[in-house]
Amino acid sequence: MGVRPLLMSDATVWAEVRRRNAAWLTPWEATLPPGDRSAPKTFRGLVRDLHRQARERRALPFAVTVDDEFAGQLTVTNITGGSARWAQVGYWIDKRFAGQDVMPTAVALVTDYCLFELDLHRVEVAIRPENTASLRVVEKLGFTEVGYAKGYLHIDGAWRDHRLFALTVEECEGGVLRRFRQGPRAENP
């Protein structure tokens, strides 16, 4: 399992995975509110826009892989410096790889990169309350629930509420991936 930059050459496999997983992904997919025409309409446009944001140090688009096979996407967005030093993480995965710790591992890797290489202070994840698979990812990684946002994102055709989770660098001594791989700590008697 790994992460690498999302590339223009991923277009065919990206489209195939999305087509095959349409029913699995649609309830959680960002959509544009009526009348908004700002988002890219093609994969090429999406990658071009994300790469522009990456050059501006505002986003990091990653392909998630399993044995070098494209398995999903993880994108760091809204990277903010200055006194905030935070970013948001969003992700999706091919249903074939769900429940195999692929996405928790990818999120842990990228969170560690954000906190320890980019020197961010906080990483956030927003998840629809009904999305039990994504909720399990942040649970496994020890993200703290920090709030509830009414009408937070336009998802699957409507404004949807989200639960908000975050990790700060102070909570991640030794790294999120290391902590995840060690598994839950036994409670002291």
Side-chain angles (χ1 to χ4, degrees):
M1 190 256 98
V3 295
R4 62 163 174 75
L6 186 66
L7 305 170
M8 289 289 187
S9 59
D10 291 321
T12 301
V13 67
W14 185 92
E16 170 54 25
V17 170
R18 305 273 309 170
R19 184 197 60 74
R20 193 169 13 87
N21 286 272
W24 163 257
L25 297 172
T26 298
W28 323 117
E29 285 294 306
T31 50
L32 290 178
D36 188 323
R37 308 233 185 294
S38 63
K41 308 256 184 296
T42 65
F43 177 80
R44 187 174 188 79
L46 170 73
V47 173
R48 189 174 25 251
D49 183 54
L50 287 171
H51 284 193
R52 178 185 52 75
Q53 290 182 55
R55 285 190 302 278
E56 295 168 355
R57 299 175 189 238
R58 296 186 302 118
L60 296 170
F62 293 103
V64 177
T65 60
V66 175
D67 297 327
D68 294 322
E69 179 182 353
F70 184 92
Q73 183 178 335
L74 187 154
T75 307
V76 180
T77 57
N78 298 319
I79 298 172
T80 304
S83 60
R85 304 210 61 78
W86 72 284
Q88 294 173 306
V89 172
Y91 48 85
W92 61 267
I93 191 165
D94 185 329
K95 188 175 182 178
R96 294 183 307 139
F97 299 108
Q100 299 175 36
D101 284 339
V102 172
M103 196 52 73
T105 303
V107 172
L109 280 167
V110 170
T111 299
D112 283 347
Y113 180 76
C114 289
L115 296 176
F116 302 112
E117 298 298 322
L118 297 182
D119 197 29
L120 298 180
H121 178 255
R122 177 184 175 108
V123 172
E124 293 186 0
V125 179
I127 302 171
R128 286 192 54 195
E130 309 85 0
N131 191 339
T132 56
S134 281
L135 290 169
R136 186 74 179 117
V137 170
V138 294
E139 177 186 316
K140 286 180 177 185
L141 298 178
F143 276 72
T144 301
E145 188 162 3
V146 296
Y148 190 86
K150 300 279 295 165
Y152 185 71
L153 288 174
H154 201 269
I155 302 284
D156 191 23
W159 292 103
R160 309 289 183 169
D161 298 350
H162 281 67
R163 292 171 63 184
L164 305 177
F165 298 85
L167 270 178
T168 63
V169 70
E170 292 88 358
E171 297 172 284
C172 301
E173 185 179 333
V176 181
L177 183 62
R178 180 192 57 77
R179 182 172 66 191
F180 174 59
R181 285 184 172 162
Q182 286 179 340
R185 293 194 175 124
E187 295 292 323
N188 289 333

